[in-house]
Amino acid sequence: MSTIYDKLNDKQKQAVFTTEGPLLLLAGAGSGKTGVLMHRIAYLINEKHIDPYNIMAITFTNKAAKEMKERITNLIGGDGNFVWVMTFHSSCVRFLRRFIDKIGFDNNFTIYDSDDQRTLMKKIFKENNINSRVYKERAVLNIISSCKNELISPVEYMKSATDRYEKGAARIYEIYQSTLKKNNALDFDDLICRSVELFENCPDVLDYYQNRFRYIMVDEYQDTNTAQFRLIYLLAQKYKNICVVGDDDQSIYKFRGANIENILSFEDKFENVEVIKLEQNYRSTGNILDAANAVIKNNRGRKNKSLWTDGATGANIELRQFANADAEADFIIKDIKAKANDNFKDFAVLYRTNAQSRLLEERCVTLGVPYQLVGGVNFYQRKEIKDVLAYLKTIANGSDDIALLRIINVPKRGIGATTIAKVADYANENVISLYDAMTICENIGIGKAADKIKKFIAMIEEFRDKVAKKANIANMIEELLDKTGYIESLYDEGEIEGESRKENIEELVNKSVDYEDGELSLFLEEVSLVADIDRMDENADRITLMTLHGAKGLEFDTVYLAGMEEGLFPSAMSSISREDLEEERRLAYVGITRAKKNLILTSAKQRMINGETRYSLLSRFVNEIPRDLLDKHILDTEKKYTQRTYSYEEALPWENKAKPDNVKNTLSFGKQFKVERQKSLDYAVGDTVKHIKFGIGKVLEIVDGEKDFEVKVNFEKFGIKKMYAGFAKLIKI
């Protein structure tokens, strides 16, 4: 008798039927891991008779969670609706909405996105007279995020601080957290951290969820950070039926706090772990897989595995080099246009940096090729959308000062900055929220402005009554827009701009229709958790332009990897350490394995970067692909470089066209200079310095090494980097 498991290969079946105890499922790209997870859930319910209510499946994106939910219900029917299938953040929101009052918050908390965080930090800097020349808002927020990913509290960070800068950052971290609490708000990192805090401090709550989730599955486990690991570890401790699925070769989010050690050391965290490898690939041709295997095997920090397929060998990989970036972009878009036959959705162009998209976009427009840019301005970050959501947040949570400040005078209603400052001072002096201060503003001494504030507060209270009476969200938004005159104000910027913004608001209203009457909090939390990739329309007949980081989990018939050049990919930043270079190589592996049938690698001999023309060699990742897998179309002047090999110790992102013989001794940033040992440095630990590429940073450590001074710098935009002083050419500012 046939069963739903018959189509699975032997390793997939083993994974499905192994249900008790810890399981590490090493699932290579295109190995059918999602199908395995779905069949595993089906097996638990249909064959093991486990209540769907007791099964949890965690993933990273709303898109993946939605797909997983649909596939489960298609496989087993209505029981699939009772399985907990959510992202980490959505799961934590559910935990906290129910129990966060146990750790000192109200259950109607607001979730702050990155824009809200920056607004809050600006407010903190202003109110506390923090020197913005020493402390940059973005840099401090990065420090705070890193701390939260590692479950380091402000107190713990202060204890570990080694200098005045870190002590100051710890103090700002402390103020930031207390202000969040005052606003009854959490940032994204808090959703995980506060859930861990809840479980660790409230054994009864932890016990409740441990009994609820007797079987736990975590997808994309290689992308978890320390806080996420701790969350899952706590939930799994009682029954230990934990299955983590991932691929260490696709761990590419270190910059977001992902810790590859979580998957590499899983066997050390749990006892009697069974390990199963899924190496058979159902996506790509044999040649593409051979190329991917050849590249990734150069990494040391990985579990040994190799992708293979029963499918066709397929076409060789194309390698094309161009004189400049303009010619590269022109070829890519023309090549797609010639091959697409009005089926553009099968094509994707992937690149290392967002800046590379400009030339590609321009060529798409010029040549009339439809495209979607994934990674542009997020819909929910647009001004008009932020404004409407701020109104809704103020209605839902009166403690949210950030939301209130955004819309108190939008559209203009005669409540100026001076008035707001007086009310804010009163609120701070009396330790109450800004909204509460506004309700008694007649006592503050702001004259006629009090009437305008009172009118605003009355409007908000009217809408709160509507929410309490389960008003329809879409209708409420439209009424809100009408009462405030917001739509009319949009046209002050011009008819075309106003119409575009109006259309965006209409799309937000369309989104709200999906929610039941009165579900305002649910609507707000879900739109706050939407990722850029969730908005991608895979069915639209357009080519996809996106970064390599954004492409993980996707697949296309034909993939172009643009900018395969040293210094661009791998990035110049990765040359400092083996760990960073290995992360770049994993990114290359991800890019290669997005292709199903055709893979085209492109590079430019010269490219304009930061206003300078730079000359470059082919990426070492190209040279790691066996020659017999490549069809090369390389400029004659570059052929002598193509077989160059690289060591981890070399940090040579850019080569000077005029002097190729000096490649081992020079580095070019538009002009040549020799990397020589510095006799002395004109900066010290704690100083603020500037790097030609990485920008502004703070010196954390200086070590007199064998070759040169080794300098550790915390850059505002790029984080902590190590470099030789002679190489870095840091300038004290």
Side-chain angles (χ1 to χ4, degrees):
M1 188 177 79
S2 64
T3 70
I4 60 174
Y5 314 108
D6 291 345
K7 293 183 179 180
L8 302 176
N9 65 42
D10 290 344
K11 287 292 184 180
Q12 289 176 331
K13 288 178 182 176
Q14 184 185 352
V16 168
F17 302 150
T18 304
T19 60
E20 308 304 306
L23 171 64
L24 172 59
L25 187 55
L26 292 171
S31 62
K33 65 178 177 68
T34 303
V36 169
L37 281 176
M38 301 307 96
H39 283 82
R40 195 171 189 271
I41 292 170
Y43 183 76
L44 284 168
I45 295 170
N46 291 341
E47 309 301 328
K48 301 276 293 187
H49 307 294
I50 303 300
D51 191 330
Y53 184 78
N54 296 135
I55 301 172
M56 173 189 236
I58 295 289
T59 187
F60 274 84
T61 67
N62 294 313
K63 177 177 174 291
K66 183 181 178 183
E67 180 189 348
M68 201 178 287
K69 192 82 169 182
E70 289 174 350
R71 290 181 65 172
I72 292 172
T73 53
N74 289 337
L75 201 59
I76 64 174
D79 281 349
N81 291 317
F82 297 100
V83 178
W84 183 290
V85 184
M86 291 188 192
T87 65
F88 269 103
H89 291 98
S90 295
S91 296
C92 289
V93 169
R94 295 292 182 275
F95 304 152
L96 297 171
R97 284 288 181 214
R98 185 166 183 179
F99 293 113
I100 199 171
D101 57 306
K102 291 180 177 288
I103 55 173
F105 285 78
D106 291 335
N107 298 86
N108 65 335
F109 59 84
T110 298
I111 303 169
Y112 280 2
D113 61 19
S114 56
D115 190 52
D116 298 326
Q117 288 179 267
R118 287 192 294 272
T119 302
L120 178 60
M121 191 59 76
K122 285 179 181 173
K123 184 170 179 284
I124 289 170
F125 271 44
K126 184 178 179 180
E127 291 177 351
N128 294 274
N129 296 315
I130 296 168
N131 190 337
S132 59
R133 295 191 64 181
V134 178
Y135 295 96
K136 302 297 182 183
E137 296 153 7
R138 192 182 298 273
V140 175
L141 283 170
N142 287 338
I143 290 171
I144 292 171
S145 181
S146 297
C147 285
K148 290 183 179 183
N149 288 336
E150 295 297 319
L151 294 174
I152 299 171
S153 69
V155 173
E156 291 168 328
Y157 185 57
M158 178 66 80
K159 287 180 180 177
S160 67
T162 57
D163 56 35
R164 289 177 62 188
Y165 181 89
E166 290 184 351
K167 285 183 169 61
R171 175 59 181 148
I172 298 171
Y173 180 14
E174 184 182 38
I175 296 170
Y176 174 81
Q177 286 301 98
S178 64
T179 309
L180 278 176
K181 191 167 185 179
K182 174 179 172 290
N183 289 1
N184 196 36
L186 306 179
D187 61 25
F188 284 159
D189 295 319
D190 276 330
L191 296 176
I192 311 294
C193 296
R194 295 295 187 184
S195 295
V196 171
E197 179 187 347
L198 175 66
F199 290 160
E200 290 182 334
N201 293 334
C202 304
D204 56 326
V205 176
L206 177 60
D207 188 64
Y208 170 82
Y209 282 113
Q210 286 176 334
N211 288 325
R212 166 91 191 258
F213 304 126
R214 302 188 180 207
Y215 292 85
I216 299 171
M217 280 157 273
V218 184
D219 196 11
E220 305 289 0
Y221 187 68
Q222 76 281 344
D223 295 335
T224 55
N225 59 35
T226 300
Q228 289 163 334
F229 163 76
R230 181 64 181 166
L231 182 83
I232 293 300
Y233 181 83
L234 289 167
L235 285 171
Q237 275 306 290
K238 189 167 188 174
Y239 295 97
K240 297 190 170 53
N241 298 321
I242 172 77
C243 168
V244 299
V245 186
D247 182 5
D248 53 299
D249 289 335
Q250 296 186 74
S251 179
I252 60 173
Y253 294 127
K254 180 183 176 182
F255 69 98
R256 293 182 188 170
N259 185 357
I260 194 174
E261 287 301 316
N262 286 346
I263 192 167
L264 294 178
S265 65
F266 183 78
E267 294 154 90
D268 300 327
K269 304 298 184 183
F270 291 89
E271 296 180 355
N272 303 316
V273 174
E274 184 157 358
V275 181
I276 300 172
K277 297 179 183 179
L278 300 183
E279 297 170 290
Q280 185 173 358
N281 178 282
Y282 295 93
R283 174 188 299 158
S284 305
T285 64
N287 281 347
I288 290 172
L289 296 180
D290 288 347
N293 289 330
V295 171
I296 201 63
K297 74 178 183 181
N298 291 282
N299 274 3
R300 303 176 194 173
R302 63 184 293 264
K303 292 185 177 289
N304 187 43
K305 54 191 168 306
S306 185
L307 296 177
W308 60 275
T309 180
D310 277 337
T313 301
N316 271 12
I317 294 158
E318 287 186 53
L319 172 61
R320 292 187 176 270
Q321 188 184 50
F322 302 91
N324 53 54
D326 291 86
E328 177 193 42
D330 191 61
F331 164 80
I332 291 173
I333 305 305
K334 283 182 176 177
D335 197 49
I336 293 174
K337 188 173 184 178
K339 295 174 177 176
N341 294 320
D342 294 324
N343 201 22
F344 292 102
K345 69 177 184 294
D346 293 335
F347 295 79
V349 188
L350 310 180
Y351 35 81
R352 181 62 181 83
T353 66
N354 276 306
Q356 291 169 259
S357 69
R358 180 183 64 82
L359 290 174
L360 293 162
E361 280 194 270
E362 288 177 359
R363 297 311 294 154
C364 284
V365 173
T366 303
L367 296 168
V369 173
Y371 72 97
Q372 59 179 334
L373 179 66
V374 181
V377 179
N378 189 306
F379 175 81
Y380 295 103
Q381 296 299 317
R382 298 178 188 274
K383 177 187 180 300
E384 63 275 15
I385 303 300
K386 292 283 292 184
D387 287 345
V388 176
L389 292 177
Y391 269 106
L392 297 178
K393 288 177 179 180
T394 301
I395 294 166
N397 173 22
S399 299
D400 189 349
D401 288 357
I402 299 301
L404 178 58
L405 284 168
R406 183 180 184 96
I407 46 85
I408 183 63
N409 201 40
V410 177
K412 295 187 183 301
R413 49 177 64 90
I415 305 172
T418 303
T419 298
I420 295 169
K422 286 182 179 179
V423 179
D425 288 342
Y426 182 87
N428 291 332
E429 289 168 5
N430 292 275
V431 197
I432 59 176
S433 71
L434 186 62
Y435 187 89
D436 287 341
M438 286 185 178
T439 62
I440 52 174
C441 61
E442 67 272 12
N443 302 327
I444 301 176
I446 55 175
K448 294 180 179 179
D451 293 336
K452 296 170 182 176
I453 291 177
K454 286 286 204 182
K455 186 177 178 181
F456 172 82
I457 293 294
M459 180 186 69
I460 297 297
E461 291 297 326
E462 181 185 337
F463 281 105
R464 285 187 176 176
D465 289 341
K466 293 179 185 293
V467 174
K469 295 174 182 176
K470 308 294 183 184
N472 178 273
I473 298 174
N475 292 342
M476 193 168 70
I477 293 174
E478 290 180 340
E479 187 178 349
L480 181 67
L481 294 169
D482 182 58
K483 282 204 169 191
T484 59
Y486 187 84
I487 295 296
E488 288 79 2
S489 72
L490 295 177
Y491 290 90
D492 294 342
E493 303 176 31
E495 186 174 347
I496 296 175
E497 179 71 13
E499 191 63 27
S500 174
R501 293 186 183 277
K502 179 173 176 284
E503 288 172 357
N504 288 334
I505 292 174
E506 288 171 350
E507 182 59 30
L508 181 68
V509 174
N510 293 339
K511 169 71 176 175
S512 71
V513 172
D514 298 334
Y515 295 82
E516 300 288 337
D517 294 349
E519 289 186 337
L520 180 58
S521 293
L522 180 62
F523 171 68
L524 287 172
E525 77 185 37
E526 292 200 4
V527 298
S528 70
L529 297 176
V530 172
D532 196 57
I533 191 66
D534 298 322
R535 300 181 297 111
M536 178 182 165
D537 186 355
E538 293 182 65
N539 296 316
D541 192 29
R542 296 175 287 181
I543 69 170
T544 299
L545 308 178
M546 67 192 315
T547 65
L548 284 152
H549 282 100
K552 193 161 78 71
L554 304 177
E555 59 183 39
F556 305 88
D557 281 356
T558 301
V559 169
Y560 297 77
L561 294 188
M564 299 297 292
E565 304 142 26
E566 284 294 304
L568 183 58
F569 190 38
S571 73
M573 293 179 291
S574 69
S575 62
I576 307 301
S577 71
R578 180 175 67 84
E579 289 77 15
D580 288 345
L581 181 58
E582 293 203 348
E583 176 112 347
E584 289 286 289
R585 186 172 282 109
R586 291 193 291 270
L587 191 57
Y589 176 83
V590 166
I592 293 168
T593 55
R594 297 313 93 195
K596 296 163 69 175
K597 298 177 181 178
N598 303 292
L599 178 63
I600 300 95
L601 311 177
T602 67
S603 74
K605 279 178 59 64
Q606 69 179 52
R607 188 180 298 273
M608 185 71 73
I609 298 181
N610 294 333
E612 294 182 340
T613 298
R614 301 187 183 174
Y615 301 89
S616 60
L617 295 179
L618 281 172
S619 168
R620 70 189 72 194
F621 303 146
V622 174
N623 294 321
E624 290 169 355
I625 298 173
R627 296 182 67 178
D628 62 335
L629 298 178
L630 288 170
D631 286 341
K632 296 184 178 181
H633 304 269
I634 301 186
L635 299 179
D636 290 340
T637 54
E638 189 70 18
K639 285 182 178 178
K640 59 185 173 183
Y641 299 124
T642 59
Q643 295 306 309
R644 173 167 166 73
T645 58
Y646 299 85
S647 68
Y648 285 119
E649 288 73 27
E650 288 180 312
L652 304 169
W654 303 106
E655 302 290 346
N656 186 284
K657 180 181 178 183
K659 300 180 181 179
D661 293 337
N662 295 337
V663 66
K664 292 184 179 180
N665 303 313
T666 62
L667 178 76
S668 176
F669 288 97
K671 60 181 181 179
Q672 285 224 333
F673 58 87
K674 290 184 179 180
V675 179
E676 300 176 345
R677 178 178 177 86
Q678 302 295 290
K679 295 180 180 179
S680 63
L681 303 177
D682 61 357
Y683 51 84
V685 172
D687 286 343
T688 301
V689 294
K690 184 176 182 180
H691 186 274
I692 191 169
K693 183 171 182 66
F694 303 152
I696 306 298
K698 174 182 169 291
V699 180
L700 301 180
E701 184 180 87
I702 299 174
V703 177
D704 190 356
E706 183 179 343
K707 296 180 179 179
D708 193 5
F709 290 104
E710 297 174 12
V711 186
K712 183 191 289 186
V713 183
N714 185 15
F715 292 104
E716 294 172 6
K717 294 184 178 180
F718 297 101
I720 296 174
K721 299 297 172 186
K722 288 183 180 178
M723 58 197 72
Y724 289 125
F727 173 81
K729 299 293 183 182
L730 298 170
I731 300 171
K732 183 179 177 180
I733 60 173

